[in-house]
Amino acid sequence: EETDLNLVMQRLCVMPKVNPNHKRLVVITGGEEATYIATKDEFLEFKPPAVPPDEIIDTNGAGDAFVGGFLSQFTQRKELDECVRIGHLAAGEVIRNNGCTFGDVPPS
């Protein structure tokens, strides 16, 4: 019943974990609006780079692409802002193509 996103994410963060040695990280993507990240101690909001509407071809796979980009950095212990930046780049590239594909030139 709760509608406050910050509160919902904070409640998720304090749920029991199998591995208590690492704090829980909650990530919620909101498309072009924002990506939200919460831990027990903080709530962060990241605005994705704008994609001109005429460049959007297919949004299928955008969330999966974000996760792939995010985790590619997270597993290397990069800072959260860099994880999100790469996730946004991957999603932004996928939506500019038909299906979950990348173009011929990697995003810069």
Side-chain angles (χ1 to χ4, degrees):
E1 296 176 15
E2 182 60 57
T3 60
D4 181 336
L5 184 61
N6 186 347
L7 185 57
V8 169
M9 293 179 77
Q10 293 300 317
R11 287 182 179 168
L12 288 170
C13 286
V14 297
M15 293 179 72
K17 291 183 69 218
V18 172
N19 181 352
N21 296 322
H22 299 283
K23 60 185 174 182
R24 183 181 302 276
L25 181 71
V26 177
V27 180
I28 297 179
T29 59
E32 66 185 34
E33 296 301 316
T35 297
Y36 308 95
I37 296 183
T39 66
K40 188 178 94 172
D41 304 316
E42 63 184 338
F43 179 82
L44 305 169
E45 183 175 335
F46 299 88
K47 183 79 173 148
V51 176
D54 62 316
E55 293 182 19
I56 299 173
I57 296 172
D58 185 357
T59 58
N60 286 314
D64 293 333
F66 174 87
V67 170
F70 182 92
L71 289 176
S72 74
Q73 303 306 297
F74 188 75
T75 57
Q76 296 178 65
R77 303 190 189 288
K78 301 286 177 83
E79 296 293 325
L80 286 177
D81 60 339
E82 180 66 2
C83 298
V84 172
R85 186 181 79 78
I86 298 300
H88 284 161
L89 282 176
E93 181 64 22
V94 165
I95 66 175
R96 288 177 167 94
N97 293 282
N98 193 17
C100 189
T101 60
F102 282 97
D104 295 332
V105 178
S108 57

